[in-house]
C-alpha cells in the first residue's frame, strides 16, 4: 500500500540521473501555456530582485497550515450501513448494496460488465486472468506504480515488461511501449498515475495494431477524464481501488469493469473461485481465487461514490492552479496534464532540473517543508523492477517457474527505464486534498518560487 503522505525520503542524485532535455522542458511548459497558464512567468521575473530569507534559514514561513481533511464518511455511509444490517444475507451476489454499488459505478465508468472485489490488486488480477494472460505472456506496464499493478500478472505466470515514461506525465510513453512489443506480448496495463490519464488513443492504436488487450489501472484515477470521456471505457478492462488512501474508500475494496464481450462475462468467475453464478451448476470449468467483496464494503463504497464528483473536481482545480502558478519558473517542470483531460491529482508531483539549482533535491524538499509545503522526495523509492524480489526473480518461494522452464529470458537486473529512474530522483511530491483552498495552493506556489529563486544556479 502506498499512502500519498509518506515519511520524507532523501535520495542522492547519482550519476544515473538524466537531466531533462530542453525539448522536454519546452514541451512541459508549452502544455501549461496551452492551458492558459502564462500569467505566473511575469510575476516570477518581477519578484526575483528581492530574495526573501528562507524559513529554513530563519526567515518567515510562506504557507499557513491547511485545513485538515475531515473524516471522509458520515451520514450517507451510516444510512447505507443501517440498511445493510437489516438484511438477512451479507453475500455479494445480487445483494442490494452490491447492486447499488454497481449501478452507481456505471454512472462514473459506463461499462456493461462489473465485478466488485476485495482490492485494486484483486481487480487487476481478475482483469489479467479475464484477458487470458498465461505462462510466459508479456504484459507491458509502468515501472512507477503500486506493486498491485503487476501482482496478478506474476500470479498468472505472465511476465511484466516495464516501459519508460513521459518526462512530466509520469505515464507510459507509447513510443517506448511499441519498442518493447515482442511476439510474446499479450497486453498493456496503462496506469493513470496520480489520476492523470495516459495517452489512451496512442495506446489503444498500438493494442489494436498488435492484437493486445488494453487494461487500464485507474486505481488512482477515480473521476479522471480522457478528452472529456471517463477513464476506463477505452481499454478492454478497467480496474479501480477503494483502498483507504484512494479518492473514495471502503477500507479495502476494488472494482473491475469491461465493455469487452469476450473478457467482460468472465470477470465474475475470476473473482469468485471460478464459480459461474450466472450459469450456476457445481462443475468448475475455470480456476480462480476468491476476491469477493461483501455487502458491508459495498454499502460504504456505494455511499462514497456520491461524494466523488465533489472530491475530484476540487482536486482538479487545485492541481491545475498549482501548475499555472509554477509554470515558466526556471528549472521547475510542472506536472503535465493534457489541457483537454481531467486529472484528479491523487497527489501532485513536479520535477526539478538538477543543473538549474545549487542544491540537491533533498535540500530543496527540506526548504519547502520548512516553508510549510507538504512536500517529500519522489513517490516510490525505486522503479518496481529495482526491488529485491524482482532482482532475485524470487516470486514463488524464492523461485520463478516461467524462467526456470525457459518461458522467459527476462532479467530484471538488466532492465532499463532511465526516464523513470530520473523521475523518481528529481520528482517532488506535494500533497493535495479536497479540504485545501485556492489561497492555500497560491501560498504553496509562492513557497516553491521562493525556494527555486533562492537556489537558482
Ligand atoms: C492502490 C493501487 C493499486 C492497488 O490497489 P489496492 O486496493 O491497494 O490493492 C494498484 N495500482 C495503483 C496505481 C494503485 O495506486
Amino acid at each position: 500500500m502506498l499512502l500519498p503522505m509518506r515519511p520524507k525520503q532523501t535520495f542522492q542524485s547519482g550519476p544515473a540521473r538524466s537531466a531533462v532535455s530542453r525539448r522536454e522542458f519546452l514541451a512541459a511548459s508549452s502544455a501549461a501555456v496551452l492551458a492558459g497558464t502564462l500569467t505566473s512567468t511575469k510575476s516570477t521575473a518581477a519578484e526575483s530582485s528581492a530574495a526573501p530569507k528562507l524559513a529554513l534559514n530563519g526567515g518567515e514561513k510562506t504557507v499557513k497550515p491547511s485545513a485538515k481533511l475531515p473524516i471522509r464518511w458520515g451520514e450517507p455511509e451510516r444510512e447505507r450501513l443501517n440498511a445493510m444490517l437489516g438484511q438477512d444475507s451479507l453475500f455479494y451476489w445480487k445483494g442490494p448494496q452490491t447492486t447499488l454499488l454497481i449501478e452507481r459505478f456505471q454512472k462514473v465508468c459506463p461499462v456493461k460488465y462489473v465485478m466488485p472485489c476485495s482490492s485494486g490488486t484483486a481487480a487487476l488480477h481478475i482483469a489479467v486472468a479475464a484477458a487470458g494472460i498465461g505462462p510466459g505472456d508479456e504484459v507491458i506496464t509502468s515501472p512507477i506504480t503500486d506493486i498491485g499493478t503487476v501482482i496478478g500478472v506474476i500470479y498468472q505466470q505472465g511476465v511484466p515488461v516495464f516501459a519508460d515514461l513521459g518526462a512530466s506525465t509520469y505515464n507510459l510513453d507509447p513510443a517506448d511501449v511499441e519498442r518493447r512489443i515482442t511476439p510474446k506480448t499479450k497486453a498493456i496495463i496503462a496506469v493513470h498515475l496520480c489520476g492523470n490519464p495516459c495517452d489512451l488513443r496512442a495506446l489503444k492504436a498500438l493494442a489494436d495494431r498488435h492484437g493486445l488487450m488494453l487494461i487500464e489501472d485507474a486505481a488512482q484515477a477515480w473521476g479522471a477524464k480522457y478528452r472529456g470521456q471517463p477513464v476506463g471505457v477505452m481499454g478492454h478492462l478497467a480496474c479501480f481501488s477503494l483502498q483507504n488512501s484512494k479518492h473514495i474508500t471502503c477500507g479495502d475494496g476494488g472494482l473491475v469493469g469491461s465493455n469487452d464481450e469476450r473478457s467482460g462475462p468472465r470477470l465474475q468467475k475470476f473473482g469468485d473461485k471460478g464459480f459461474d453464478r450466472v450459469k450456476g451448476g457445481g462443475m468448475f470449468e475455470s480456476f480462480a481465487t476468491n476476491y469477493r467483496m461483501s455487502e458491508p464494503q459495498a454499502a460504504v463504497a456505494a455511499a462514497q461514490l456520491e461524494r466523488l464528483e465533489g472530491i475530484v473536481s476540487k482536486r482538479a482545480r487545485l492541481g491545475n492552479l498549482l501548475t499555472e502558478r509554477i509554470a515558466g519558473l526556471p528549472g521547475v517542470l510542472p506536472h503535465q496534464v493534457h489541457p483537454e483531460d481531467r486529472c484528479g491529482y491523487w497527489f501532485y508531483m513536479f520535477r526539478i532540473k538538477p543543473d538549474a539549482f545549487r542544491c540537491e533535491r533533498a535540500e530543496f524538499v527540506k526548504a519547502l517543508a520548512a516553508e510549510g509545503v507538504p512536500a517529500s522526495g519522489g513517490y516510490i523509492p525505486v522503479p518496481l523492477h529495482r526491488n529485491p524480489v524482482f532482482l532475485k526473480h524470487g516470486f514463488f518461494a524464492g523461485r520463478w517457474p516461467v524462467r526456470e522452464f525457459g518461458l522467459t529470458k527476462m532479467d530484471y537486473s538488466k532492465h532499463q527505464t532511465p526516464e523513470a529512474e530520473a523521475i523518481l530522483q528529481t520528482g517532488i511530491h506535494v500533497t493535495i486534498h479536497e479540504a485545501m483552498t485556492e489561497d492555500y495552493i497560491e501560498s504553496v506556489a509562492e513557497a516553491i518560487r521562493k525556494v527555486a529563486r533562492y537556489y537558482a544556479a
Side-chain angles (χ1 to χ4, degrees):
M1 177 182 77
L2 291 157
L3 298 172
M5 277 226 280
R6 297 169 297 103
K8 281 184 191 64
Q9 290 168 319
T10 52
F11 301 101
Q12 293 305 112
S13 35
R17 82 185 178 195
S18 84
V20 176
S21 74
R22 182 180 148 75
R23 183 175 51 80
E24 285 156 349
F25 175 69
L26 287 176
S29 36
S30 65
V33 170
L34 267 175
T37 57
L38 257 180
T39 43
S40 61
T41 329
K42 233 184 298 162
S43 57
T44 312
E47 287 158 5
S48 64
S49 46
K53 198 168 182 185
L54 291 187
L56 188 65
N57 302 332
E60 212 183 312
K61 231 172 143 153
T62 314
V63 182
K64 292 193 185 69
S66 152
K68 283 225 164 52
L69 190 58
I71 292 180
R72 294 178 292 152
W73 33 88
E75 236 0 88
E77 287 76 10
R78 196 165 284 125
E79 202 178 291
R80 289 278 103 233
L81 284 167
N82 273 332
M84 180 272 296
L85 287 172
Q87 296 170 198
D88 61 5
S89 165
L90 301 182
F91 190 61
Y92 88 104
W93 183 247
K94 298 211 185 293
Q97 308 309 322
T98 304
T99 304
L100 182 67
L101 170 64
I102 293 172
E103 243 172 65
R104 289 185 178 173
F105 174 74
Q106 285 170 323
K107 285 194 191 124
V108 172
C109 180
V111 286
K112 183 167 165 193
Y113 301 96
V114 180
M115 177 62 178
C117 55
S118 54
S119 68
T121 304
L124 280 144
H125 191 173
I126 293 168
V128 161
I133 303 306
D137 291 345
E138 294 179 0
V139 178
I140 301 176
T141 192
S142 170
I144 301 186
T145 181
D146 184 281
I147 192 169
T149 303
V150 297
I151 285 173
V153 176
I154 295 168
Y155 268 98
Q156 291 308 109
Q157 309 305 326
V159 178
V161 172
F162 297 100
D164 218 343
L165 307 177
S168 295
T169 61
Y170 322 131
N171 283 333
L172 283 178
D173 167 12
D176 197 59
V177 170
E178 183 158 33
R179 282 192 285 276
R180 298 190 197 239
I181 293 174
T182 73
K184 288 184 168 180
T185 309
K186 291 282 157 60
I188 299 168
I189 302 181
V191 180
H192 306 301
L193 200 76
C194 301
N196 187 20
C198 289
D199 186 347
L200 283 172
R201 200 170 293 153
L203 294 173
K204 187 72 185 349
L206 272 183
D208 289 347
R209 187 146 19 101
H210 296 271
L212 314 176
M213 297 295 282
L214 179 60
I215 300 170
E216 293 181 55
D217 179 347
Q220 300 180 7
W222 281 105
K225 295 202 169 133
Y226 173 78
R227 311 298 191 265
Q229 184 180 203
V231 296
V233 296
M234 263 181 87
H236 297 93
L237 293 137
C239 307
F240 290 81
S241 167
L242 291 161
Q243 189 271 332
N244 194 65
S245 71
K246 307 297 157 83
H247 294 83
I248 55 169
T249 183
C250 57
D252 261 310
L255 285 147
V256 52
S258 177
N259 269 332
D260 179 48
E261 286 301 335
R262 213 159 48 100
S263 43
R266 297 173 175 165
L267 296 177
Q268 181 276 317
K269 275 188 301 204
F270 283 117
D272 193 353
K273 299 192 279 193
F275 194 85
D276 190 333
R277 302 222 171 248
V278 182
K279 283 205 195 112
M283 305 286 272
F284 290 102
E285 282 174 25
S286 51
F287 184 73
T289 184
N290 178 359
Y291 282 142
R292 294 185 303 239
M293 184 184 267
S294 67
E295 285 279 277
Q297 276 83 24
V300 176
Q304 286 268 295
L305 269 172
E306 299 282 271
R307 301 175 184 267
L308 181 63
E309 184 52 32
I311 293 168
V312 174
S313 58
K314 180 73 181 290
R315 285 184 181 226
R317 207 159 67 236
L318 297 176
N320 291 341
L321 176 64
L322 184 52
T323 293
E324 226 176 277
R325 293 298 187 257
I326 63 173
L329 190 59
V332 169
L333 301 130
H335 203 143
Q336 187 188 343
V337 176
H338 191 283
E340 291 166 60
D341 290 353
R342 177 159 83 164
C343 172
Y345 295 101
W346 189 56
F347 61 84
Y348 187 101
M349 187 156 73
F350 68 91
R351 287 178 72 178
I352 54 173
K353 288 171 78 179
D355 306 342
F357 300 104
R358 294 176 287 109
C359 68
E360 297 280 313
R361 179 185 61 177
E363 182 159 347
F364 200 104
V365 168
K366 212 165 125 194
L368 284 176
E371 297 295 337
V373 177
S376 56
Y379 165 40
I380 52 176
V382 289
L384 280 187
H385 54 281
R386 291 261 175 275
N387 283 280
V389 70
F390 285 86
L391 294 173
K392 288 187 251 170
H393 308 103
F395 303 112
F396 299 97
R399 300 171 60 178
W400 196 21
V402 288
R403 197 156 177 263
E404 289 180 18
F405 296 151
L407 293 173
T408 183
K409 292 193 168 63
M410 174 57 81
D411 181 349
Y412 288 114
S413 69
K414 301 211 168 79
H415 209 69
Q416 300 286 329
T417 54
E419 195 63 61
E421 304 268 356
I423 289 166
L424 293 174
Q425 283 164 6
T426 61
I428 297 180
H429 172 302
V430 178
T431 300
I432 284 196
H433 64 64
E434 53 275 18
M436 290 173 172
T437 63
E438 263 122 354
D439 283 349
Y440 177 79
I441 295 294
E442 294 279 4
S443 70
V444 165
E446 195 186 323
I448 295 171
R449 293 196 300 263
K450 178 180 172 186
V451 170
R453 277 200 306 272
Y454 178 83
Y455 287 113

